[in-house]
Amino acid sequence: MAALTFYICYIGARPINRSWMQPQEHILLKDFTTFRIGGPARYFVAVKNTEELREAIQFAHSKQLPIFVLGGGSNVLISDKGFPGLVIKIEIKGIEYKEREGEDVEVIVGAGENWDDAVGHIVSRGLSGLENLSLIPGSVGAAPVQNIGAYGAEVKDTISWVEVFNTETYTLEQCSKEQCQFDYRDSIFKKPEGKKYVITRVGFKLSKKPNVNITYKDISNYISEHKVEDLSIQKIRDIVIEIRTKKLPNLKEYGTAGSFFKNPVVLKEQYDELVKKYSGLPGFTGASHGDVKIPAAWILDTLCNFKGYRDGDAGVYKNQALVLVNFGSATAEDISSLSEKMIACVKEKTSITLEKEVQIIF
Ligand code: EPU
């Protein structure tokens, strides 16, 4: 009976050339993740607009299926058993530019745009604010979820609002920057109260003024070593791309999700105690409440010797100890047990419990 009702609504409400595709079944998720890991999705559908998204949500609700929203698949580790519900891949595209007061331009980008393609497009228009976030894998819709950050910038600094589809009320809503509750690699979209939202578009406030940000050590070192004089935002983008290419694995060659762990933030007193024990331990103040952010990569590299470590096909990248790599046929379990080994070493040496940055779907 339920199926019949659904069918009648469908005929009545939709134009004949509607684009809604029935979900496919048993689709291997490893083909959609940069780790190249993940078993089958019971159902899988790609949506190109909010109407298709609405239908996908209706489909999942009618079958009482859990929903998992996939962007670029670059920050997830999905179980080898797969996902028992509906995986919705967001393919909502488009970039819109709107002149605002003075030097400001509002740029509205569809959640399904590739992040770096969008950054390249925006930088080529001479708008500044996103250039330090060049070459980060993933989609535009995933960027606010974990408040992506790199080379002295965080995406929250340029976001004005995030448009979401509320899966409880079936309405489109706009979350202000404050409502997004951005923090270091965190936002409302990672918390239980934000799970009802699916991000559809992101609004950025960018500037025609080339406000270059060269505070991060890797960038300032590059500029002095290469005696760079022309500091255009395109040049900053080129520099970031060069640095990232040297430090981080090439996704065409290796399966990876970038930093696997967050950098821990500790109390100043705890940091001072640790420095007495490990004199070279770096620490960055400026984290909230005067706490200190410690590069987990330093601990994993210097104290735990994990750089270049391998357990079969699960390993740690040779140039960055925070980055786990699938060298071929590693399973989610292999990556997970390697990560637990790394957590245990850091705990033993420093009493710090590392938190995973990558979203784990087990
Ligand atoms: N370091 C080591 N050994 C290593 C790597 C780094 O000792 O193998 C030390 C160095 O002292 C270095 C410091 O750690 O100065 C920081 O390293 P890096 O600049 O590479 O940054 P990170 O803190 O390890 C963070 C982000 C990266 C981002 C870089 C650059 C997190 C979890 N990760 O890494 O983001 O690209 O800064 O800004 O905050 C990602 O999220 O996937 C990601 C790659």
Side-chain angles (χ1 to χ4, degrees), residues 149-151 184-185 216-218 244 247-248 257-259 261-263 282 295 297-298 301-302 307 319-322 357:
Y151 303 101
Y184 168 60
R185 292 298 196 275
Y216 204 82
K217 205 173 77 186
D218 288 10
R244 282 190 78 95
K247 274 204 162 177
L248 297 166
S259 298
F261 304 101
K262 286 189 195 179
N263 284 326
W298 189 93
D301 177 7
T302 314
K307 200 141 99 178
N319 298 336
Q320 231 296 2
L322 205 52
E357 198 231 304

mmCIF file of all heavy atoms in Angstrom, residues 149-151 184-185 216-218 244 247-248 257-259 261-263 282 295 297-298 301-302 307 319-322 357, ligand 1:
data_model
loop_
_atom_site.group_PDB
_atom_site.id
_atom_site.type_symbol
_atom_site.label_atom_id
_atom_site.label_comp_id
_atom_site.label_asym_id
_atom_site.label_seq_id
_atom_site.Cartn_x
_atom_site.Cartn_y
_atom_site.Cartn_z
ATOM 1 N N GLY A 149 41.205 23.526 7.002
ATOM 2 C CA GLY A 149 42.203 24.543 7.287
ATOM 3 C C GLY A 149 43.567 24.098 6.799
ATOM 4 O O GLY A 149 43.863 22.906 6.763
ATOM 5 N N ALA A 150 44.363 25.065 6.378
ATOM 6 C CA ALA A 150 45.736 24.763 5.974
ATOM 7 C C ALA A 150 46.485 26.071 5.748
ATOM 8 O O ALA A 150 45.889 27.082 5.372
ATOM 9 C CB ALA A 150 45.763 23.941 4.676
ATOM 10 N N TYR A 151 47.767 26.034 6.008
ATOM 11 C CA TYR A 151 48.674 27.154 5.718
ATOM 12 C C TYR A 151 48.163 28.500 6.239
ATOM 13 O O TYR A 151 48.153 29.512 5.532
ATOM 14 C CB TYR A 151 49.023 27.171 4.213
ATOM 15 C CG TYR A 151 49.628 25.836 3.869
ATOM 16 C CD1 TYR A 151 48.893 24.845 3.233
ATOM 17 C CD2 TYR A 151 50.907 25.521 4.321
ATOM 18 C CE1 TYR A 151 49.415 23.582 3.035
ATOM 19 C CE2 TYR A 151 51.433 24.257 4.124
ATOM 20 C CZ TYR A 151 50.694 23.301 3.488
ATOM 21 O OH TYR A 151 51.214 22.059 3.312
ATOM 22 N N TYR A 184 38.127 24.475 15.489
ATOM 23 C CA TYR A 184 39.212 23.750 14.817
ATOM 24 C C TYR A 184 38.713 22.374 14.347
ATOM 25 O O TYR A 184 38.323 21.555 15.164
ATOM 26 C CB TYR A 184 40.417 23.617 15.764
ATOM 27 C CG TYR A 184 41.477 22.649 15.265
ATOM 28 C CD1 TYR A 184 42.124 22.844 14.055
ATOM 29 C CD2 TYR A 184 41.828 21.538 16.022
ATOM 30 C CE1 TYR A 184 43.075 21.954 13.603
ATOM 31 C CE2 TYR A 184 42.795 20.645 15.586
ATOM 32 C CZ TYR A 184 43.406 20.859 14.368
ATOM 33 O OH TYR A 184 44.343 19.967 13.918
ATOM 34 N N ARG A 185 38.647 22.194 13.037
ATOM 35 C CA ARG A 185 38.173 20.948 12.407
ATOM 36 C C ARG A 185 36.823 20.496 12.966
ATOM 37 O O ARG A 185 36.575 19.302 13.141
ATOM 38 C CB ARG A 185 39.192 19.815 12.580
ATOM 39 C CG ARG A 185 40.480 19.996 11.820
ATOM 40 C CD ARG A 185 40.235 20.037 10.305
ATOM 41 N NE ARG A 185 41.455 19.846 9.577
ATOM 42 C CZ ARG A 185 42.316 20.821 9.284
ATOM 43 N NH1 ARG A 185 42.058 22.063 9.640
ATOM 44 N NH2 ARG A 185 43.413 20.556 8.604
ATOM 45 N N TYR A 216 52.128 31.451 7.731
ATOM 46 C CA TYR A 216 52.515 30.056 7.990
ATOM 47 C C TYR A 216 53.979 29.836 7.587
ATOM 48 O O TYR A 216 54.421 30.288 6.531
ATOM 49 C CB TYR A 216 51.605 29.108 7.198
ATOM 50 C CG TYR A 216 51.513 27.717 7.801
ATOM 51 C CD1 TYR A 216 50.643 27.446 8.855
ATOM 52 C CD2 TYR A 216 52.288 26.666 7.321
ATOM 53 C CE1 TYR A 216 50.540 26.178 9.404
ATOM 54 C CE2 TYR A 216 52.196 25.384 7.867
ATOM 55 C CZ TYR A 216 51.316 25.151 8.905
ATOM 56 O OH TYR A 216 51.211 23.895 9.450
ATOM 57 N N LYS A 217 54.686 29.123 8.485
ATOM 58 C CA LYS A 217 56.138 28.959 8.306
ATOM 59 C C LYS A 217 56.533 28.423 6.924
ATOM 60 O O LYS A 217 57.451 28.949 6.291
ATOM 61 C CB LYS A 217 56.673 28.023 9.404
ATOM 62 C CG LYS A 217 58.142 28.235 9.723
ATOM 63 C CD LYS A 217 58.581 27.427 10.921
ATOM 64 C CE LYS A 217 58.761 25.970 10.539
ATOM 65 N NZ LYS A 217 59.043 25.042 11.619
ATOM 66 N N ASP A 218 55.827 27.417 6.476
ATOM 67 C CA ASP A 218 56.178 26.809 5.181
ATOM 68 C C ASP A 218 56.100 27.841 4.042
ATOM 69 O O ASP A 218 56.915 27.830 3.121
ATOM 70 C CB ASP A 218 55.220 25.656 4.834
ATOM 71 C CG ASP A 218 55.476 24.439 5.698
ATOM 72 O OD1 ASP A 218 56.242 24.549 6.668
ATOM 73 O OD2 ASP A 218 54.903 23.374 5.411
ATOM 74 N N ARG A 244 52.252 21.551 -0.934
ATOM 75 C CA ARG A 244 51.405 20.383 -0.663
ATOM 76 C C ARG A 244 51.831 19.179 -1.502
ATOM 77 O O ARG A 244 51.832 18.049 -1.022
ATOM 78 C CB ARG A 244 49.939 20.695 -0.984
ATOM 79 C CG ARG A 244 49.225 21.507 0.053
ATOM 80 C CD ARG A 244 47.733 21.561 -0.241
ATOM 81 N NE ARG A 244 47.067 20.331 0.166
ATOM 82 C CZ ARG A 244 46.453 20.164 1.332
ATOM 83 N NH1 ARG A 244 46.396 21.141 2.190
ATOM 84 N NH2 ARG A 244 45.880 19.009 1.632
ATOM 85 N N LYS A 247 54.774 17.586 0.181
ATOM 86 C CA LYS A 247 54.577 17.021 1.522
ATOM 87 C C LYS A 247 53.535 15.926 1.606
ATOM 88 O O LYS A 247 53.617 15.053 2.460
ATOM 89 C CB LYS A 247 54.124 18.142 2.467
ATOM 90 C CG LYS A 247 55.260 18.916 3.070
ATOM 91 C CD LYS A 247 54.811 19.562 4.356
ATOM 92 C CE LYS A 247 55.989 19.971 5.190
ATOM 93 N NZ LYS A 247 55.584 20.653 6.408
ATOM 94 N N LEU A 248 52.519 16.025 0.751
ATOM 95 C CA LEU A 248 51.381 15.116 0.908
ATOM 96 C C LEU A 248 51.303 14.141 -0.256
ATOM 97 O O LEU A 248 51.738 14.449 -1.366
ATOM 98 C CB LEU A 248 50.083 15.931 1.036
ATOM 99 C CG LEU A 248 50.049 16.834 2.272
ATOM 100 C CD1 LEU A 248 48.934 17.860 2.187
ATOM 101 C CD2 LEU A 248 49.899 16.011 3.540
ATOM 102 N N ALA A 257 43.412 9.827 3.196
ATOM 103 C CA ALA A 257 42.401 10.848 3.518
ATOM 104 C C ALA A 257 43.082 12.039 4.184
ATOM 105 O O ALA A 257 42.490 12.732 5.000
ATOM 106 C CB ALA A 257 41.315 10.267 4.404
ATOM 107 N N GLY A 258 44.345 12.271 3.866
ATOM 108 C CA GLY A 258 45.074 13.408 4.453
ATOM 109 C C GLY A 258 45.348 13.163 5.930
ATOM 110 O O GLY A 258 45.551 12.015 6.353
ATOM 111 N N SER A 259 45.354 14.220 6.726
ATOM 112 C CA SER A 259 45.603 14.068 8.168
ATOM 113 C C SER A 259 44.579 13.112 8.758
ATOM 114 O O SER A 259 43.376 13.336 8.618
ATOM 115 C CB SER A 259 45.449 15.398 8.902
ATOM 116 O OG SER A 259 46.384 16.336 8.457
ATOM 117 N N PHE A 261 44.532 12.330 12.057
ATOM 118 C CA PHE A 261 44.209 12.789 13.416
ATOM 119 C C PHE A 261 44.163 14.308 13.453
ATOM 120 O O PHE A 261 44.776 14.987 12.630
ATOM 121 C CB PHE A 261 45.292 12.328 14.404
ATOM 122 C CG PHE A 261 45.523 10.845 14.395
ATOM 123 C CD1 PHE A 261 46.605 10.295 13.713
ATOM 124 C CD2 PHE A 261 44.667 9.996 15.061
ATOM 125 C CE1 PHE A 261 46.824 8.921 13.697
ATOM 126 C CE2 PHE A 261 44.874 8.620 15.052
ATOM 127 C CZ PHE A 261 45.954 8.081 14.363
ATOM 128 N N LYS A 262 43.469 14.827 14.478
ATOM 129 C CA LYS A 262 43.506 16.273 14.737
ATOM 130 C C LYS A 262 44.761 16.566 15.533
ATOM 131 O O LYS A 262 45.243 15.701 16.276
ATOM 132 C CB LYS A 262 42.331 16.675 15.628
ATOM 133 C CG LYS A 262 41.003 16.692 14.957
ATOM 134 C CD LYS A 262 40.029 17.326 15.948
ATOM 135 C CE LYS A 262 38.604 17.098 15.578
ATOM 136 N NZ LYS A 262 37.675 17.684 16.536
ATOM 137 N N ASN A 263 45.250 17.780 15.442
ATOM 138 C CA ASN A 263 46.329 18.181 16.334
ATOM 139 C C ASN A 263 45.726 18.423 17.716
ATOM 140 O O ASN A 263 44.728 19.147 17.841
ATOM 141 C CB ASN A 263 46.984 19.456 15.819
ATOM 142 C CG ASN A 263 47.889 19.187 14.628
ATOM 143 O OD1 ASN A 263 48.520 18.130 14.539
ATOM 144 N ND2 ASN A 263 47.952 20.118 13.693
ATOM 145 N N PRO A 282 57.202 21.179 19.537
ATOM 146 C CA PRO A 282 56.607 22.454 19.116
ATOM 147 C C PRO A 282 55.229 22.652 19.749
ATOM 148 O O PRO A 282 54.564 21.681 20.106
ATOM 149 C CB PRO A 282 56.453 22.311 17.592
ATOM 150 C CG PRO A 282 57.015 20.982 17.210
ATOM 151 C CD PRO A 282 57.176 20.166 18.460
ATOM 152 N N PRO A 295 51.624 19.914 17.217
ATOM 153 C CA PRO A 295 51.530 19.111 15.987
ATOM 154 C C PRO A 295 51.683 17.619 16.296
ATOM 155 O O PRO A 295 52.763 17.160 16.700
ATOM 156 C CB PRO A 295 52.692 19.598 15.118
ATOM 157 C CG PRO A 295 53.347 20.713 15.854
ATOM 158 C CD PRO A 295 52.849 20.721 17.269
ATOM 159 N N ALA A 297 51.916 15.345 14.322
ATOM 160 C CA ALA A 297 52.905 14.747 13.415
ATOM 161 C C ALA A 297 54.289 14.712 14.072
ATOM 162 O O ALA A 297 55.050 13.759 13.880
ATOM 163 C CB ALA A 297 52.967 15.537 12.110
ATOM 164 N N TRP A 298 54.600 15.739 14.860
ATOM 165 C CA TRP A 298 55.919 15.777 15.511
ATOM 166 C C TRP A 298 56.039 14.621 16.507
ATOM 167 O O TRP A 298 57.063 13.933 16.567
ATOM 168 C CB TRP A 298 56.121 17.122 16.214
ATOM 169 C CG TRP A 298 57.521 17.328 16.722
ATOM 170 C CD1 TRP A 298 58.549 17.938 16.074
ATOM 171 C CD2 TRP A 298 58.045 16.902 17.996
ATOM 172 N NE1 TRP A 298 59.685 17.917 16.850
ATOM 173 C CE2 TRP A 298 59.411 17.293 18.039
ATOM 174 C CE3 TRP A 298 57.517 16.229 19.088
ATOM 175 C CZ2 TRP A 298 60.236 17.034 19.141
ATOM 176 C CZ3 TRP A 298 58.333 15.960 20.191
ATOM 177 C CH2 TRP A 298 59.680 16.366 20.205
ATOM 178 N N ASP A 301 56.231 11.305 14.711
ATOM 179 C CA ASP A 301 57.482 11.180 13.980
ATOM 180 C C ASP A 301 58.658 11.054 14.968
ATOM 181 O O ASP A 301 59.333 10.013 15.046
ATOM 182 C CB ASP A 301 57.598 12.446 13.103
ATOM 183 C CG ASP A 301 58.875 12.524 12.312
ATOM 184 O OD1 ASP A 301 59.639 11.550 12.307
ATOM 185 O OD2 ASP A 301 59.112 13.585 11.686
ATOM 186 N N THR A 302 58.843 12.060 15.792
ATOM 187 C CA THR A 302 60.037 12.140 16.647
ATOM 188 C C THR A 302 59.995 11.160 17.828
ATOM 189 O O THR A 302 61.007 10.546 18.155
ATOM 190 C CB THR A 302 60.179 13.582 17.177
ATOM 191 O OG1 THR A 302 59.977 14.466 16.091
ATOM 192 C CG2 THR A 302 61.540 13.827 17.797
ATOM 193 N N LYS A 307 56.964 7.733 10.953
ATOM 194 C CA LYS A 307 57.075 8.213 9.569
ATOM 195 C C LYS A 307 57.600 7.070 8.685
ATOM 196 O O LYS A 307 58.624 6.466 8.995
ATOM 197 C CB LYS A 307 58.014 9.419 9.525
ATOM 198 C CG LYS A 307 57.835 10.254 8.301
ATOM 199 C CD LYS A 307 57.952 11.729 8.582
ATOM 200 C CE LYS A 307 59.323 12.255 8.225
ATOM 201 N NZ LYS A 307 59.391 13.701 8.462
ATOM 202 N N ASN A 319 56.627 11.454 4.148
ATOM 203 C CA ASN A 319 56.924 12.874 4.391
ATOM 204 C C ASN A 319 56.014 13.529 5.418
ATOM 205 O O ASN A 319 56.153 14.726 5.671
ATOM 206 C CB ASN A 319 56.792 13.683 3.092
ATOM 207 C CG ASN A 319 57.771 13.227 2.039
ATOM 208 O OD1 ASN A 319 58.817 12.657 2.365
ATOM 209 N ND2 ASN A 319 57.449 13.448 0.789
ATOM 210 N N GLN A 320 55.050 12.808 5.973
ATOM 211 C CA GLN A 320 54.108 13.427 6.915
ATOM 212 C C GLN A 320 53.525 12.345 7.817
ATOM 213 O O GLN A 320 52.731 11.520 7.370
ATOM 214 C CB GLN A 320 52.981 14.134 6.152
ATOM 215 C CG GLN A 320 52.706 15.565 6.553
ATOM 216 C CD GLN A 320 52.213 15.739 8.005
ATOM 217 O OE1 GLN A 320 52.099 14.795 8.772
ATOM 218 N NE2 GLN A 320 51.950 16.977 8.376
ATOM 219 N N ALA A 321 53.887 12.380 9.078
ATOM 220 C CA ALA A 321 53.505 11.300 9.989
ATOM 221 C C ALA A 321 52.036 11.323 10.413
ATOM 222 O O ALA A 321 51.572 10.412 11.081
ATOM 223 C CB ALA A 321 54.408 11.352 11.226
ATOM 224 N N LEU A 322 51.310 12.386 10.008
ATOM 225 C CA LEU A 322 49.889 12.466 10.377
ATOM 226 C C LEU A 322 48.998 11.824 9.301
ATOM 227 O O LEU A 322 47.792 11.712 9.464
ATOM 228 C CB LEU A 322 49.526 13.955 10.516
ATOM 229 C CG LEU A 322 48.373 14.386 11.394
ATOM 230 C CD1 LEU A 322 48.495 13.798 12.782
ATOM 231 C CD2 LEU A 322 48.324 15.909 11.485
ATOM 232 N N GLU A 357 40.579 12.691 12.926
ATOM 233 C CA GLU A 357 40.006 13.785 12.165
ATOM 234 C C GLU A 357 39.091 13.226 11.074
ATOM 235 O O GLU A 357 38.066 13.809 10.727
ATOM 236 C CB GLU A 357 41.140 14.597 11.516
ATOM 237 C CG GLU A 357 40.709 15.969 11.081
ATOM 238 C CD GLU A 357 41.081 16.273 9.658
ATOM 239 O OE1 GLU A 357 42.271 16.185 9.317
ATOM 240 O OE2 GLU A 357 40.168 16.590 8.888
HETATM 241 N N1 EPU B 1 56.214 17.572 11.654
HETATM 242 C C1 EPU B 1 57.046 16.546 12.025
HETATM 243 N N2 EPU B 1 57.014 15.381 11.331
HETATM 244 C C2 EPU B 1 56.205 15.209 10.250
HETATM 245 C C3 EPU B 1 55.388 16.285 9.827
HETATM 246 C C4 EPU B 1 55.401 17.450 10.558
HETATM 247 O O1 EPU B 1 57.787 16.646 12.995
HETATM 248 O O2 EPU B 1 56.197 14.107 9.686
HETATM 249 C C5 EPU B 1 56.169 18.779 12.493
HETATM 250 C C6 EPU B 1 56.996 19.913 12.010
HETATM 251 O O3 EPU B 1 57.526 20.538 13.164
HETATM 252 C C7 EPU B 1 56.013 20.891 11.394
HETATM 253 C C8 EPU B 1 54.788 20.624 12.236
HETATM 254 O O4 EPU B 1 54.849 19.243 12.586
HETATM 255 O O5 EPU B 1 56.444 22.189 11.489
HETATM 256 C C9 EPU B 1 53.477 20.894 11.512
HETATM 257 O O6 EPU B 1 53.457 20.142 10.311
HETATM 258 P P1 EPU B 1 52.596 20.620 9.050
HETATM 259 O O7 EPU B 1 52.902 22.017 8.707
HETATM 260 O O8 EPU B 1 52.747 19.594 7.971
HETATM 261 O O9 EPU B 1 51.116 20.648 9.617
HETATM 262 P P2 EPU B 1 50.247 19.620 10.461
HETATM 263 O O10 EPU B 1 49.887 20.285 11.718
HETATM 264 O O11 EPU B 1 50.850 18.272 10.534
HETATM 265 C C10 EPU B 1 48.049 20.643 9.495
HETATM 266 C C11 EPU B 1 46.745 20.149 8.915
HETATM 267 C C12 EPU B 1 46.954 19.758 7.452
HETATM 268 C C13 EPU B 1 47.468 20.980 6.692
HETATM 269 C C14 EPU B 1 48.789 21.432 7.327
HETATM 270 C C15 EPU B 1 49.362 22.674 6.683
HETATM 271 C C16 EPU B 1 45.541 19.182 10.797
HETATM 272 C C17 EPU B 1 45.006 17.940 11.405
HETATM 273 N N3 EPU B 1 46.249 19.019 9.665
HETATM 274 O O12 EPU B 1 48.945 19.537 9.515
HETATM 275 O O13 EPU B 1 45.692 19.424 6.923
HETATM 276 O O14 EPU B 1 47.681 20.699 5.326
HETATM 277 O O15 EPU B 1 48.539 21.735 8.730
HETATM 278 O O16 EPU B 1 48.688 23.791 7.116
HETATM 279 O O17 EPU B 1 45.318 20.264 11.329
HETATM 280 C C18 EPU B 1 44.234 17.596 6.490
HETATM 281 O O18 EPU B 1 43.458 18.106 7.303
HETATM 282 O O19 EPU B 1 43.942 16.527 5.902
HETATM 283 C C19 EPU B 1 45.517 18.212 6.246
HETATM 284 C C20 EPU B 1 46.432 17.674 5.462
#
